[in-house]
Amino acid sequence: MAGKIVSLVLILLLSLAALPLQPEHGVSANGGMPEVWVATTGSDGNHGTEAEPFATIQKGIDTVDAGGTVHVAAGTYVGQIIISKALTLEGAGAPDTFIDGGGFIPYETVVESTAADADVTISGFTIQNGYQDGVAGIFIRALNTLNLYDCTVRNNVGLGTGGILNWGTLYINRCTVSGNYGAHGGGIENRGTLYMCNCTISGNSASGSEGGGGIYNGQGDEMTSEYSTIANNRATDASAKGGGFYNEGTATFESTIVGNNTAGDAAHNNGYTEPGGVTDSNGYNLDSENSCGFNVGTDLINTDPLLGPLQDNGGPTFTHALLHGSLAIDHGIGEGFPAVDQRGVPRWQGSTCDTGAYELTQASVATSTGSGTAYFSTLNGYFTNLTAKDESALACTPREDLSFPHGLFSFTVTGITPGSSATIVIILPADMPADTEYWKCINGQWVDCTSMLGSNNSDSVLTITIRDGGLGDADGVANGVITDPGGPALVVTPPPSNQTLVNAGPQSSSPSIPAPSSQAPIGLPNIYVQSASLSADRVAPGDVLTVNVGVANRGTGKGSTTIRLYVNGEEDSSRGITLESGDSR
């Protein structure tokens, strides 16, 4: 019996020993870590898993397997990081995830990619506040390849280069390089191979005698710029050239805006190519002067691109919007255009792609009244579901005192930052007078949104600015989506109820306009909601929120109505109100 028991125990132990070890979450079977997590709430004494993240990015880089991914949660991470192997560094988005050099700490590159023959990808970060003797923001060493996506490189100071110094190969896509300062290459200095697409290089400065406020391309080096915007950069020395770019090697441009840059040598504010250097144009570029060497028939020179300020126009990084009337609109189609612009807005929106990093959102629709075609564009986000609506198709009772000569329009603007505003330009088939109003049908009620109209010059162009979650946004929620069922309206006086209207053209003896009745017409009220606002955008549980509603009586008689407040589709409260003719409250 004892021998049998021993045999069973041995068999059980051998069976257990043959079972494979189950790896901890985030740890490979051979003990490595192909994925590592980092968060400001973590600790470098943790295991680096999603449940137990590290506290510093450098710890994550040092721990992850070559070719693995370091996931970085939103927050600010102060200090230099050095990447010495192939990997992917993935932030939670440039607006929320910061690698910060700490500011004016000598000889600190914020991000340094050092490994030869390594392929590194960085996405979703803002890299800022570095200060170094050679380069401040990012340094890519020779033989290293860096892929930089959806990032912002800003406010870095270098005695040599400000934003990015590339000695290897740099692919930069959907990024903004802004507010950096150096002796040359305030934004980017290229000493290797640079390929740039859907990027904005703006507001950088170079103080050296050569120049290159935005980009400096070295002798024998190669850079390519496609669908990018190089604007508002400066080369400040009195003899400096190329506020936008300074080229000693080979620079190729396609569908790129170089505009509104400045240099000490005013003849070369935008661009300058040294003797022996080469600038090639693949067409569809725009130069606000004539210094870049854009000489293909589809290039535009001495042309103002009409750029808006560098700001949040939707997407993870800041851009310069193309304003109404810019010749860069529908000018940028070339070969192999990118599917989206810097913000992620689909290309193309108009008849062709736009030149530069920004694709102006455009849509058009035939009006419901048959007056022609209305054209819509927005600087923020992009349109979906633009349709023309007749007043009778809305949930609101038709207004006798308002005329909609071009009908109404329903559309959705998506892809904007939650809580921000979208400015919409509407080009109507005919001019509208200066007293044009704008009304919307929201939840079965007419809402006066005239306060959101911009200046009206009695032409066919109207602008309306709508805040996500505010007045005029039908869903009433700051969720990055604006819905707008409404249109431009004229105030009319309804005819007395005892009269019949006929055509004003040539008349036969019949029909005729009946004689006015001796009985005075009965005054009728016309009470409507003309405005609505909240006392706060956000409140904590238990806080008081005040709803302010403006109500007016545009009719000819006294009347009463009930104002009802709905929360999440259910009536929350109501208020009865009585107004004399012409009163508002």
Side-chain angles (χ1 to χ4, degrees):
M1 181 66 66
K4 291 183 179 180
I5 293 175
V6 172
S7 299
L8 288 173
V9 172
L10 287 173
I11 292 171
L12 180 59
L13 290 174
L14 289 171
S15 299
L16 289 173
L19 293 174
L21 294 175
Q22 298 298 315
E24 182 183 357
H25 179 63
V27 179
S28 64
N30 62 6
M33 295 192 69
E35 291 187 284
V36 167
W37 281 262
V38 176
T40 56
T41 56
S43 168
D44 282 356
N46 286 344
H47 293 95
T49 62
E50 190 171 6
E52 293 186 60
F54 294 134
T56 65
I57 297 174
Q58 190 64 59
K59 178 67 173 178
I61 291 171
D62 294 342
T63 304
V64 75
D65 292 345
T69 299
V70 179
H71 305 277
V72 181
T76 299
Y77 302 83
V78 179
Q80 180 187 32
I81 65 171
I82 297 176
I83 303 173
S84 59
K85 56 189 169 187
L87 56 79
T88 295
L89 189 62
E90 184 181 90
D96 304 303
T97 318
F98 303 88
I99 305 176
D100 194 299
F104 298 100
I105 302 173
Y107 311 113
E108 287 293 335
T109 301
V110 184
V111 176
E112 186 169 348
S113 189
T114 65
D117 301 320
D119 198 318
V120 175
T121 297
I122 299 177
S123 66
F125 289 93
T126 292
I127 299 165
Q128 64 183 18
N129 297 336
Y131 178 85
Q132 205 247 9
D133 191 18
V135 60
I138 300 174
F139 181 19
I140 305 109
R141 290 194 176 272
L143 305 180
N144 184 275
T145 297
L146 176 63
N147 306 281
L148 193 68
Y149 298 113
D150 296 322
C151 286
T152 295
V153 182
R154 70 180 185 188
N155 302 340
N156 299 285
V157 177
L159 299 183
T161 305
I164 303 173
L165 174 59
N166 174 46
W167 284 2
T169 300
L170 171 61
Y171 295 93
I172 178 171
N173 197 345
R174 299 190 305 272
C175 293
T176 294
V177 180
S178 65
N180 302 286
Y181 174 87
H184 45 75
I188 300 174
E189 180 179 352
N190 179 49
R191 298 289 182 175
T193 301
L194 166 65
Y195 176 76
M196 180 171 71
C197 182
N198 273 337
C199 288
T200 297
I201 313 299
S202 175
N204 304 284
S205 297
S207 61
S209 59
E210 292 177 308
I215 301 174
Y216 186 102
N217 187 49
Q219 185 174 5
D221 301 305
E222 297 182 1
M223 66 162 285
T224 299
S225 173
E226 295 182 349
Y227 292 91
S228 292
T229 300
I230 305 171
N232 299 343
N233 302 284
R234 301 181 302 156
T236 59
D237 186 87
S239 62
K241 301 176 175 67
F245 71 88
Y246 187 100
N247 175 37
E248 292 181 322
T250 299
T252 303
F253 295 87
E254 179 179 327
S255 302
T256 291
I257 293 173
V258 186
N260 307 332
N261 303 281
T262 59
D265 183 345
H268 301 92
N269 284 315
N270 280 337
Y272 178 73
T273 297
E274 279 277 5
V278 176
T279 295
D280 288 328
S281 170
N282 287 338
Y284 309 99
N285 300 295
L286 186 151
D287 180 353
S288 64
E289 52 185 24
N290 187 14
S291 62
C292 295
F294 299 157
N295 54 10
V296 174
T298 56
D299 290 332
L300 297 174
I301 59 174
N302 298 314
T303 301
D304 186 347
L306 295 181
L307 299 176
L310 184 68
Q311 64 181 16
D312 179 6
N313 293 313
T317 53
F318 282 15
T319 51
H320 289 287
L322 296 176
L323 303 180
H324 174 65
S326 171
L327 293 181
I329 298 171
D330 290 345
H331 180 72
I333 188 169
E335 295 182 0
F337 60 88
V340 297
D341 75 351
Q342 182 174 333
R343 302 168 297 154
V345 171
R347 292 188 189 265
W348 60 72
Q349 292 286 323
S351 58
T352 62
C353 288
D354 298 342
T355 292
Y358 177 96
E359 181 79 9
L360 180 68
T361 297
Q362 301 179 73
S364 62
V365 66
T367 66
S368 64
T369 61
S371 61
T373 300
Y375 297 87
F376 288 71
S377 63
T378 177
L379 304 183
N380 319 79
Y382 53 95
F383 289 107
T384 60
N385 305 321
L386 173 63
T387 56
K389 295 285 187 181
D390 188 78
E391 188 177 0
S392 62
L394 302 178
C396 296
T397 303
R399 296 286 299 266
E400 293 186 358
D401 60 329
L402 294 177
S403 168
F404 295 91
H406 304 293
L408 297 102
F409 307 95
S410 177
F411 58 80
T412 300
V413 178
T414 61
I416 63 172
T417 302
S420 66
S421 296
T423 298
I424 296 155
V425 177
I426 308 172
I427 304 177
L428 297 165
D431 294 344
M432 295 290 286
D435 59 352
T436 297
E437 299 184 353
Y438 202 94
W439 286 79
K440 298 187 181 185
C441 176
I442 299 177
N443 297 326
Q445 299 290 329
W446 286 105
V447 179
D448 186 354
C449 296
T450 307
S451 62
M452 298 187 299
L453 281 175
S455 60
N456 182 10
N457 300 321
S458 299
D459 58 13
S460 62
V461 181
L462 297 178
T463 62
I464 182 168
T465 300
I466 310 172
R467 183 172 61 83
D468 181 27
L471 175 65
D473 181 10
D475 64 18
V477 180
N479 56 359
V481 178
I482 290 174
T483 55
D484 177 16
L490 302 178
V491 177
V492 297
T493 302
S497 59
N498 63 342
Q499 288 191 359
T500 301
L501 294 180
V502 298
N503 292 331
Q507 300 292 319
S508 62
S509 59
S510 178
S512 61
I513 300 176
S517 170
S518 59
Q519 181 180 0
I522 299 173
L524 297 175
N526 180 12
I527 299 176
Y528 65 97
V529 175
Q530 63 180 352
S531 64
S533 63
L534 302 178
S535 60
D537 292 334
R538 297 181 179 181
V539 292
D543 287 352
V544 175
L545 177 69
T546 301
V547 182
N548 299 295
V549 181
V551 185
N553 183 0
R554 191 175 273 165
T556 58
K558 180 179 179 180
S560 300
T561 191
T562 300
I563 307 299
R564 304 182 190 277
L565 173 64
Y566 290 84
V567 178
N568 296 329
E570 297 183 1
E571 184 174 336
D572 179 82
S573 58
S574 62
R575 176 73 60 84
I577 188 169
T578 301
L579 295 176
E580 299 287 346
S581 173
D583 281 355
S584 61
R585 189 174 309 168

